[in-house]
């Protein structure tokens, strides 16, 4: 068992205006049963609702277990994540945003046990249930099975069942070098970039456990879940261009990326009369 100076796991929870949900998230952290020490680090990005009061009520109850990182002004999710991670001291870091929550009290134990025994993996994930604001199930995979994602799988757009609330990763310097890259702050799907960067620069893989152990919440305040379809597509294309520009891949992967662009994004850009933009992407990948 780790001592309090060196927890085995740091739970990193970033939040902004999650007054309706943050208590559920923290309760799901507190309920974890493990044979090691873990800490909970909550990063509140200057919420304008009652999120702070809710978090502070938990701080009063669990002062030795919970830390609060607050900003004086709203910094955005990328900077909030970075500031919160700086406080995390665990050998492993578990991620969960304030509007999501965990459902298995042995989730951390299972994931730590796996990574302790399997050095070839940098991240361990699991299946998740998608719910609405009232916790009604919108989707859950009926037949979970083990999945393995390599860097090249992620590059090809394959990242099934790796939502943020499922991530437990090794707290190593190579992974956090991502936050020194100026282009990271231009991306929209920071979690996708994180998984790509972690697998690429460590040469390790992601393992997805065949168990449903968390819930991802679709709600009106969600960054991605309720965004207009056309705006979501614009952001996905923007991130795609960041990926092909800033990550390394062999010639054969380049052809696969071109095919991926043609299949997923080209028609959309042409319909939006972004011919020059589409031409530049295709030209880059030829």
């Amino acid at each position: 068992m780790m001592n309090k100076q060196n927890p085995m796991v740091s739970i990193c929870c970033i939040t902004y205006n999650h007054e309706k949900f943050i208590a559920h998230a923290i309760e799901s952290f507190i309920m974890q049963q493990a044979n090691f020490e873990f800490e909970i680090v909550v990063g509140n990005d200057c919420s304008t609702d009652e999120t702070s009061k809710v978090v502070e009520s938990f701080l009063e109850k669990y002062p030795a277990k919970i830390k609060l990182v607050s900003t004086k002004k709203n910094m955005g999710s990328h900077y909030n994540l970075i500031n919160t991670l700086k406080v995390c001291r665990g050998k492993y870091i578990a991620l969960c945003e304030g509007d999501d929550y965990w459902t298995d009290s042995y989730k951390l134990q299972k994931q730590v046990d796996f990574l302790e025994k399997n050095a070839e993996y940098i991240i361990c994930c699991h299946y998740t249930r998608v719910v609405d604001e009232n916790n009604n199930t919108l989707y859950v995979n009926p037949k979970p099975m083990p999945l393995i994602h390599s860097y090249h799988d992620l590059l090809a757009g394959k990242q099934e069942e790796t939502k943020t609330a499922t991530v437990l990763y090794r707290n190593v310097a190579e992974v956090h070098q991502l936050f020194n890259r100026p282009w990271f702050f231009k991306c929209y799907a920071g979690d996708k970039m994180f998984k790509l960067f972690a697998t690429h620069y460590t040469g390790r893989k992601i393992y997805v456990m065949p168990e449903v152990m968390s819930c991802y919440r679709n709600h009106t305040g969600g960054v991605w879940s309720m965004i207009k379809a056309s705006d979501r597509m614009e952001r996905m294309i923007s991130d795609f261009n960041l990926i092909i520009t800033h990550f390394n891949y062999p010639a054969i992967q380049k052809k696969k990326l071109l095919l991926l662009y043609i299949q997923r994004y080209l028609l959309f850009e042409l319909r939006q009369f972004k011919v020059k933009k589409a031409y530049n992407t295709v030209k880059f990948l030829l």
Side-chain angles (χ1 to χ4, degrees):
M1 184 177 290
M2 306 289 284
N3 60 47
K4 292 185 178 181
Q5 298 302 315
N6 301 289
M8 178 70 88
V9 176
S10 293
I11 301 169
C12 174
C13 175
I14 60 171
T15 185
Y16 175 70
N17 286 358
H18 290 151
E19 63 178 359
K20 295 179 181 179
F21 313 121
I22 188 66
H24 198 170
I26 296 176
E27 286 166 357
S28 76
F29 307 153
I30 294 292
M31 78 173 186
Q32 291 300 301
Q33 300 291 315
N35 61 9
F36 50 76
E37 294 289 336
F38 63 89
E39 64 178 0
I40 301 165
V41 185
V42 180
N44 181 23
D45 195 16
C46 200
S47 295
T48 58
D49 62 2
E50 299 298 307
T51 297
S52 295
K53 288 185 178 180
V54 177
V55 176
E56 286 166 5
S57 70
F58 280 95
L59 268 173
E60 292 176 5
K61 192 180 295 187
Y62 305 100
K65 180 69 74 175
I66 301 175
K67 296 179 181 178
L68 175 61
V69 179
S70 300
T71 57
K72 294 182 179 180
K73 65 178 182 178
N74 182 260
M75 303 293 290
S77 60
H78 291 354
Y79 286 102
N80 189 25
L81 175 63
I82 292 168
N83 288 338
T84 307
L85 286 174
K86 287 178 180 177
V87 180
C88 294
R89 304 165 299 145
K91 179 179 180 180
Y92 299 100
I93 296 178
L95 303 178
C96 186
E97 297 183 0
D99 51 350
D100 299 328
Y101 59 97
W102 298 341
T103 56
D104 189 317
S105 58
Y106 292 94
K107 165 195 150 70
L108 288 183
Q109 184 72 61
K110 293 173 184 178
Q111 291 183 288
V112 167
D113 286 348
F114 177 83
L115 287 181
E116 285 284 283
K117 296 174 183 176
N118 297 275
E120 68 270 30
Y121 294 93
I122 184 66
I123 297 172
C124 179
C125 296
H126 53 76
Y127 283 68
T128 195
R129 182 184 303 271
V130 181
V131 299
D132 63 15
E133 292 190 43
N134 300 311
N135 299 314
N136 298 309
T137 299
L138 300 177
Y139 172 78
V140 63
N141 191 306
K143 296 180 179 180
M145 61 181 64
L147 299 173
I148 296 173
H149 299 309
S150 67
Y151 164 66
H152 293 291
D153 292 330
L154 296 172
L155 204 57
K158 299 175 183 177
Q159 56 171 359
E160 291 82 6
E161 301 295 344
T162 61
K163 289 188 182 298
T164 300
T166 77
V167 170
L168 179 86
Y169 72 94
R170 300 180 190 277
N171 185 8
V172 293
E174 300 99 305
V175 172
H176 294 152
Q177 288 301 311
L178 171 64
F179 307 134
N180 296 327
R181 304 296 201 270
W183 57 263
F184 171 70
F185 300 95
K186 298 177 183 178
C187 78
Y188 292 99
D191 60 329
K192 183 175 184 177
M193 298 299 178
F194 177 84
K195 288 173 284 193
L196 268 168
F197 195 91
T199 53
H200 182 39
Y201 284 92
T202 66
R204 304 186 193 188
K205 299 171 289 187
I206 297 174
Y207 179 73
V208 180
M209 306 185 87
E211 297 183 57
V212 179
M213 296 193 283
S214 67
C215 284
Y216 171 83
R217 207 187 300 265
N218 263 338
H219 64 94
T220 52
V223 176
W224 276 96
S225 58
M226 301 303 290
I227 195 172
K228 196 166 65 172
S230 60
D231 290 341
R232 186 184 297 115
M233 183 64 83
E234 290 274 8
R235 295 182 179 191
M236 290 170 68
I237 293 171
S238 176
D239 281 357
F240 178 82
N241 281 298
L242 285 175
I243 290 168
I244 64 174
T245 304
H246 296 287
F247 286 91
N248 299 323
Y249 40 85
I252 190 170
Q253 187 83 50
K254 200 171 187 179
K255 292 180 180 179
K256 291 180 181 179
L257 287 167
L258 176 59
L259 181 60
L260 180 67
Y261 173 75
I262 292 171
Q263 292 175 335
R264 292 189 181 181
Y265 307 128
L266 179 59
L267 186 58
F268 174 83
E269 294 217 283
L270 294 179
R271 284 174 175 169
Q272 298 293 314
F273 303 105
K274 298 185 178 180
V275 178
K276 185 175 181 180
K277 189 167 175 285
Y279 170 78
N280 288 335
T281 299
V282 172
K283 182 181 178 181
F284 185 87
L285 290 170
L286 285 175

